[in-house]
Amino acid sequence: MTSEYTVQGHPISALAERFGTPLYVYDGDVLRDVYLSLRERLDPRVDILYSAKANPNVSVCAVLRSLGAGIEVSSLVELLTAQRAGAAPEDVIFLGPGKSVEELRACVDLGVHAIVAESLDELELLNDLRVPGGVKVMLRVNPSFESKGARLAMGGKPRQFGIDQDVLLRSRSFLRSLRHVEVIGVHGYMGTRILEAEGVVHNTRGILAAAEELSAELGFELRTVDVGGGLGVPYFDNEKDLDVDLLATGVNAAVADFLDRRPGCRVITELGRYLVGWCGTYVVRARYVKESMGEWFVVADGGTNHHMAAVGIGSFVKRNFPVRSLTRYTEPALRPYNITGPLCTPNDVVAKQVALPEVRPGDLLGVERSGAYGPTASPGLFLSHGFPAEVLVLDGTPHLVRRRDTVDDLLGKQELISL
């Protein structure tokens, strides 16, 4: 009887044989379950937008869109991805601190719900586009209050994101001078990887309050408020799952209180990591197993070049993502191993001293909860290995949703000069 890992009935060895390794495998059942579980708990008046930056694969975006999610984008390609995934323009917003004129014009041409302006200079640039009827804009506020529970704070302190709340409060005359900009609301995003429900509720209440204050002081109609999100996925030892029931109770109460006063206002929460993180597994094949000075090493065919997040990017403390033997998934651990990749650097260590069953050359290992910030947040061109394939198993059928890079892909964009 085999003990290997399966995805919707497909043995991982069969998927690896068919699509090769390294490989990202996304379980469509998990993707759906996470979204629908949250959707049924949140007040239906709260729109969920998927932050495409977490995993911009067009098929992943399309699944979430089919379930009812809008899409939040931060680049021209992400904007076109949302369009190809079938997202309606009114369910798309565009944010980011360094937008180009090309990106801004594309948003106007497509007719997205709003561009989220992150500086006064950006507002002036949008005004200079002289769009008939005005560009619909949400003001990204960097609030005066500090976030609670964020592993990586995005607001409430000096940041390149958004406009400080006190600066906005002094900008009424400036905003009134913008004849081709229509401010329709406020956006706030306090931080990411929040695992305490109380922190999400605190941030939600704070952003809603800031939005009302800014609307009153600056004299614009509050038609949309994006309260951010930042819901976390527990990766490391001693981290606990987010209490979604407690979160929903608190957020729903805050939103209901707000909408009692602002019944026509659209409320948005944007989620990336939480929606897709659970569904993904980064699959590598062990090439060599060796002992060095009393420690065991597994040298695999993929490493940090495909999964930089697993080594703690954005974190000062380096801890292991959950790593399992996929070949011997149900067998007990035998010894600790360091899991490394093929790169010529001692930093190419995906996991340190992780307890596993015996690992042999050819075995498959998996980094779990890897659906977010995988290939696109990693140095895939290091040593010219390129990016791995990505497979989505949906309704029992595996789909290749991104082919792996080939030699021609990697060399085709280079030009050899004449010497």
Side-chain angles (χ1 to χ4, degrees):
M1 180 177 179
T2 181
S3 66
E4 73 175 289
Y5 175 70
T6 63
V7 182
Q8 296 184 30
H10 294 275
I12 195 64
S13 59
L15 294 174
E17 179 67 24
R18 177 178 173 185
F19 298 106
T21 58
L23 174 71
Y24 272 87
V25 178
Y26 309 124
D27 188 331
D29 283 353
V30 175
L31 182 62
R32 281 185 180 134
D33 288 348
V34 170
Y35 176 86
L36 294 175
S37 176
L38 181 64
R39 178 67 280 172
E40 71 181 14
R41 287 169 170 78
L42 281 181
D43 189 311
R45 294 173 294 180
V46 178
D47 291 338
I48 298 176
L49 266 60
Y50 170 55
S51 295
K53 64 179 70 65
N55 186 329
N57 187 282
V58 65
S59 291
V60 171
C61 292
V63 170
L64 290 168
R65 192 275 312 160
S66 73
L67 297 172
I71 302 182
E72 171 255 295
V73 300
S74 298
S75 71
L76 179 58
V77 173
E78 286 189 0
L79 178 64
L80 297 177
T81 298
Q83 186 179 27
R84 290 184 183 183
E90 60 268 23
D91 292 326
V92 176
I93 63 173
F94 193 114
L95 59 85
K99 307 177 192 72
S100 69
V101 173
E102 181 186 16
E103 289 168 334
L104 297 175
R105 289 191 183 279
C107 288
V108 171
D109 291 343
L110 186 61
V112 302
H113 177 69
I115 296 170
V116 180
E118 308 226 17
S119 68
L120 299 182
D121 283 351
E122 184 181 337
L123 286 166
E124 199 159 21
L125 179 58
L126 285 166
N127 190 62
D128 290 342
L129 294 180
R130 297 185 176 276
V131 174
V135 181
K136 290 183 173 58
V137 166
M138 295 169 65
L139 303 173
R140 180 166 180 175
V141 59
N142 183 10
S144 302
F145 72 91
E146 288 194 17
S147 63
K148 283 189 176 180
R151 270 61 178 176
L152 179 62
M154 311 285 280
K157 56 179 61 180
R159 283 289 185 260
Q160 70 267 44
F161 308 110
I163 310 167
D164 290 355
Q165 187 170 346
D166 62 335
V167 172
L168 279 173
L169 290 171
R170 298 195 303 267
S171 301
R172 183 180 180 119
S173 61
F174 169 75
L175 291 174
R176 285 189 167 184
S177 73
L178 304 175
R179 302 303 181 192
H180 305 287
V181 169
E182 181 185 5
V183 177
I184 67 167
V186 171
H187 173 286
Y189 191 89
M190 299 304 297
T192 186
R193 285 247 304 130
I194 303 173
L195 293 172
E196 295 79 30
E198 296 84 353
V200 178
V201 176
H202 167 83
N203 296 339
T204 299
R205 288 192 177 278
I207 293 166
L208 291 171
E212 289 196 281
E213 179 185 16
L214 289 168
S215 172
E217 293 295 324
L218 300 179
F220 63 86
E221 181 184 357
L222 196 57
R223 288 188 274 161
T224 303
V225 180
D226 186 330
V227 297
L231 279 62
V233 172
Y235 298 118
F236 310 120
D237 290 342
N238 302 318
E239 289 188 338
K240 296 181 179 179
D241 289 358
L242 182 64
D243 187 333
V244 182
D245 288 323
L246 183 62
L247 177 146
T249 298
V251 168
N252 289 347
V255 169
D257 181 56
F258 171 78
L259 290 177
D260 281 346
R261 298 187 301 277
R262 306 271 183 169
C265 189
R266 182 180 190 182
V267 178
I268 291 171
T269 183
E270 60 185 65
L271 305 171
R273 182 194 312 272
Y274 182 81
L275 294 181
V276 296
W278 300 92
C279 77
T281 302
Y282 176 49
V283 182
V284 297
R285 189 180 295 278
R287 284 181 172 163
Y288 308 100
V289 181
K290 58 188 283 188
E291 185 181 9
S292 176
M293 296 187 179
E295 293 190 17
W296 284 89
F297 288 79
V298 177
V299 183
D301 57 2
T304 57
N305 52 323
H306 299 155
H307 202 343
M308 196 68 178
V311 301
I313 187 171
S315 173
F316 293 107
V317 179
K318 308 306 179 188
R319 297 171 290 178
N320 295 333
F321 269 44
V323 177
R324 299 282 296 273
S325 169
L326 303 181
T327 299
R328 282 173 261 283
Y329 195 68
T330 60
E331 295 182 19
L334 177 68
R335 65 165 62 96
Y337 292 91
N338 298 314
I339 312 301
T340 71
L343 306 182
C344 299
T345 168
N347 294 325
D348 188 22
V349 179
V350 175
K352 294 182 177 180
Q353 296 294 290
V354 57
L356 296 171
E358 180 185 4
V359 181
R360 304 167 191 164
D363 283 359
L364 298 172
L365 304 178
V367 185
E368 298 178 320
R369 301 178 198 171
S370 295
Y373 300 105
T376 55
S378 303
L381 297 182
F382 193 18
L383 265 67
S384 298
H385 284 293
F387 288 94
E390 298 175 53
V391 169
L392 171 64
V393 184
L394 192 65
D395 298 326
T397 301
H399 301 271
L400 181 65
V401 293
R402 188 194 188 280
R403 62 175 177 83
R404 72 181 61 257
D405 284 349
T406 65
V407 171
D408 287 342
D409 292 329
L410 297 170
L411 288 178
K413 292 182 180 180
Q414 299 183 38
E415 298 291 339
L416 179 63
I417 63 172
S418 299
L419 297 174

